[in-house]
């Protein structure tokens, strides 16, 4: 809160009116042992000018390092108009559009977001967003198990080449509901998930759904058509986990294989959302029309009023927590409205051509960066399949130490894969979006080469 208007006299008058001596008395039901105490480590309050100076100094201490980290959150250019518009009071302070007659602007933005996501994914329906991509996948898994009428199986195949944070989130959310997540190993040569690995993981048993990510966590392109057709041949629904920027160039989930994926989800952060130390972001979730009543969250619909004028309203709310509670198909009963507004404006500004140019620039920059880094002795691509805008590299030294040293030089060099993949002890995942210049990439390569040479001596 940038400004607190209540003076000590205001607070004392309020307390006298309600008949208590101090603010702590309002919380007397909280046991003493659970309270935080006197908070002695917190310094005294500062004046506005002093706190502004302090926060500015601390922000400056972070510096402005070059970011070559991807792994699910990306450093993209955000046009100035995006947050200039999002910061307007009618967007910034709006919350739940329950009263349609008073919320037409907010509802229209959500409707436009849904329309854009269905166009990107080539699916029929989109919700009005979820908390993030990881929780969106968890909801997609729950949805697929509910919706698959061809089997009573609770088994879901999930690739090891899926983002590790997504896998952990899904496990946390669905495990208590008896759903078994079967991890499918990736091919050590290509970094992808071959159909043969699905066969081995299924082990002749029924499965409810198969998760397919494109591109996968390593940036590697999967053979999504073959994987989708295999899943459908085994009576499983297909959940596609996709990057919205990549969809400007790649086949959308709704066109994978013969019948297309049944559900698609992912992280909307690349669409107008700054990295912001990890959030907040927004997740998207789309599906085929046949599954719409199993879709969690909100859907905004467009209709005509009694005078024939277009209007917007929330639809299919009966499945939400605040109405059906324990009988709801999901406990998701909100949406990331502010972030979705940013994504909608971002997409509207870029248009189809602009989004395609961003995707192409990301791919080209990653190829340039890979070529530069692979001129350094001991560095080579970890996998031999095509990639989008991330590249896994084999280093001649442990990646964790190299990344630490790069950070000391103002370079965020990527992600150490060994933390989640112990079988890849000296592997680095790096990324170059459209923001990275040729000089910045050359600086990264030169610094990395110097560090490796110094470490070898």
């Amino acid at each position: 809160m940038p400004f607190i208007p209540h003076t000590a006299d205001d607070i004392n008058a309020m307390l006298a009116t309600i008949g208590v001596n101090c603010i702590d008395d309002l919380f007397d039901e909280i046991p003493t042992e659970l309270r935080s105490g006197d908070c002695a480590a917190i310094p005294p309050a500062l004046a506005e000018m002093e706190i502004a100076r302090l926060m500015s100094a601390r922000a400056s201490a972070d510096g402005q390092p070059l970011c070559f980290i991807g792994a699910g959150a990306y450093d993209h250019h955000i046009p100035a108009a995006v947050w200039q518009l999002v910061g307007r009071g009618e967007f910034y302070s709006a919350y739940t559009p329950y009263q349609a007659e008073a919320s037409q602007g907010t509802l229209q933005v959500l409707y436009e977001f849904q329309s854009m996501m269905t166009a990107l994914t080539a699916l029929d329906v989109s919700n009005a967003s979820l908390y993030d991509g990881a929780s969106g996948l968890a909801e997609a898994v729950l949805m697929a198990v509910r919706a698959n009428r061809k089997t009573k199986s609770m088994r879901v195949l999930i690739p090891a080449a899926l983002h590790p944070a997504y896998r952990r989130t899904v496990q946390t959310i669905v495990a208590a509901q008896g759903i078994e997540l079967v991890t499918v190993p990736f091919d050590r040569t290509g970094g992808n998930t071959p159909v043969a690995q699905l066969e081995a993981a299924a082990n002749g048993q029924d499965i409810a759904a198969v998760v397919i990510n494109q591109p996968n966590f390593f940036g590697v392109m999967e053979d999504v058509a073959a994987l989708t057709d295999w899943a459908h041949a085994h009576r499983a629904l297909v959940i596609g986990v996709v990057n919205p920027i990549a969809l400007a160039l790649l086949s959308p989930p709704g066109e994978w294989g013969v019948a297309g994926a049944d559900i698609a989800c992912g992280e909307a952060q690349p669409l107008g959302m700054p990295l912001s130390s990890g959030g907040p972001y927004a997740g998207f979730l789309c599906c085929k029309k046949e599954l719409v009543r199993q879709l969690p969250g909100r859907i905004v619909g467009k209709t005509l009023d009694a005078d024939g004028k277009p209007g917007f309203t929330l639809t299919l709310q009966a499945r939400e927590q605040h109405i059906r509670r324990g009988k709801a198909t999901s406990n998701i009963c909100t949406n990331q409205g502010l972030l979705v507004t940013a994504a909608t404006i971002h997409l509207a500004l870029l248009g189809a051509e602009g989004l395609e140019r961003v995707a192409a620039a990301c791919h080209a920059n990653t190829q340039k960066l890979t070529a530069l880094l692979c001129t350094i002795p001991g560095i080579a691509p970890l996998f031999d399949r095509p990639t989008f805008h991330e590249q896994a590299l084999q280093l001649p030294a442990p990646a964790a130490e190299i990344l630490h040293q790069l950070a000391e030089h103002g370079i965020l060099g990527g992600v150490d894969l060994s933390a989640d993949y112990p079988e890849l002890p000296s592997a680095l995942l790096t990324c170059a979006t459209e923001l990275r210049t040729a000089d910045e990439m050359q600086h990264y390569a030169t610094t990395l080469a110097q560090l490796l040479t110094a470490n070898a001596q």
Side-chain angles (χ1 to χ4, degrees):
M1 181 180 295
F3 176 64
I4 301 174
H6 307 114
T7 66
D9 289 342
D10 294 334
I11 295 171
N12 289 332
M14 178 197 72
L15 294 174
T17 300
I18 61 179
V20 296
N21 294 321
C22 64
I23 288 178
D24 284 348
D25 291 344
L26 299 175
F27 305 96
D28 58 1
E29 70 275 12
I30 301 176
T32 303
E33 63 272 16
L34 296 181
R35 301 188 186 189
S36 58
D38 58 7
C39 301
I42 297 179
L46 298 177
E48 179 183 348
M49 184 173 65
E50 294 170 321
I51 195 67
R53 185 182 295 118
L54 173 64
M55 298 308 293
S56 177
R58 291 187 175 177
S60 298
D62 287 341
Q64 291 184 311
L66 291 176
C67 183
F68 291 92
I69 303 176
Y74 301 94
D75 188 21
H76 288 293
H77 171 67
I78 301 173
V82 173
W83 284 93
Q84 180 67 30
L85 294 173
V86 173
R88 290 179 60 92
E90 56 267 40
F91 289 132
Y92 195 72
S93 60
Y95 174 55
T96 302
Y98 287 127
Q99 295 176 287
E101 67 278 7
S103 307
Q104 285 299 290
T106 299
L107 289 167
Q108 182 175 357
V109 167
L110 296 176
Y111 180 84
E112 298 294 346
F113 171 78
Q114 293 170 185
S115 301
M116 292 173 177
M117 296 318 299
T118 55
L120 277 175
T121 60
L123 288 167
D124 302 316
V125 188
S126 168
N127 71 7
S129 82
L130 297 164
Y131 297 117
D132 55 27
S135 60
L137 176 57
E139 289 291 336
V141 168
L142 293 170
M143 176 183 172
V145 172
R146 290 194 306 267
N148 193 338
R149 306 299 184 186
K150 297 179 180 179
T151 177
K152 295 183 178 179
S153 173
M154 302 284 277
R155 302 176 77 236
V156 175
L157 301 187
I158 190 163
L162 177 69
H163 197 303
Y166 281 43
R167 288 187 278 128
R168 289 192 292 268
T169 300
V170 174
Q171 179 66 33
T172 298
I173 293 176
V174 311
Q177 303 208 31
I179 295 175
E180 179 187 0
L181 300 178
V182 181
T183 301
V184 184
F186 61 88
D187 180 76
R188 292 293 295 273
T189 301
N192 63 315
T193 306
V195 168
Q197 297 283 38
L198 295 184
E199 286 277 8
N203 196 27
Q205 302 180 54
D206 280 355
I207 50 177
V210 176
V211 176
I212 304 171
N213 50 332
Q214 179 76 323
N216 67 26
F217 179 63
F218 304 128
V220 170
M221 307 299 295
E222 298 279 2
D223 186 354
V224 291
L227 297 173
T228 298
D229 290 343
W230 180 92
H232 285 156
H234 289 76
R235 303 188 301 174
L237 296 183
V238 171
I239 302 169
V241 182
V242 290
N243 180 321
I245 296 292
L247 290 179
L249 294 177
L250 305 179
S251 296
E255 297 176 4
W256 291 355
V258 174
D262 303 283
I263 304 168
C265 61
E267 176 59 65
Q269 180 274 330
L271 305 176
M273 301 175 204
L275 291 174
S276 299
S277 300
Y281 300 152
F284 60 89
L285 184 57
C286 305
C287 69
K288 293 180 176 178
K289 180 174 61 177
E290 295 79 10
L291 306 179
V292 64
R293 290 198 172 271
Q294 295 294 336
L295 186 66
R298 292 180 177 153
I299 299 177
V300 176
K302 183 178 180 180
T303 187
L304 298 177
D305 65 14
D307 298 323
K309 297 179 180 179
F312 303 88
T313 184
L314 291 177
T315 59
L316 296 178
Q317 287 190 83
R319 68 196 175 284
E320 288 189 342
Q321 171 189 337
H322 63 284
I323 295 175
R324 298 189 65 194
R325 298 187 180 184
K327 294 182 180 179
T329 56
S330 170
N331 283 326
I332 293 291
C333 65
T334 189
N335 67 282
Q336 293 286 69
L338 192 67
L339 286 310
V340 161
T341 300
T344 307
I345 296 171
H346 187 87
L347 283 169
L349 286 171
L350 265 62
E353 180 184 351
L355 196 66
E356 183 175 337
R357 288 167 60 188
V358 169
C362 290
H363 179 263
N365 277 354
T366 299
Q367 296 300 303
K368 293 175 185 176
L369 178 64
T370 300
L372 280 171
L373 297 181
C374 287
T375 62
I376 302 172
I379 296 182
L382 190 62
F383 304 117
D384 63 4
R385 285 179 64 86
T387 60
F388 175 56
H389 71 352
E390 269 145 328
Q391 181 75 52
L393 298 171
Q394 181 68 47
L395 300 184
E401 179 59 29
I402 295 299
L403 288 172
H404 179 73
Q405 294 175 4
L406 284 169
E408 293 178 344
H409 288 76
I411 298 172
L412 304 178
V415 175
D416 171 23
L417 290 176
S418 68
D420 293 292
Y421 301 92
E423 66 273 30
L424 305 175
S426 300
L428 169 71
L429 185 68
T430 192
C431 170
T433 67
E434 81 283 6
L435 280 181
R436 299 286 70 86
T437 67
D439 288 344
E440 290 171 344
M441 290 186 280
Q442 183 61 63
H443 176 56
Y444 180 15
T446 301
T447 305
L448 179 56
Q450 292 171 348
L451 292 173
L452 288 172
T453 300
N455 290 343
Q457 291 175 352

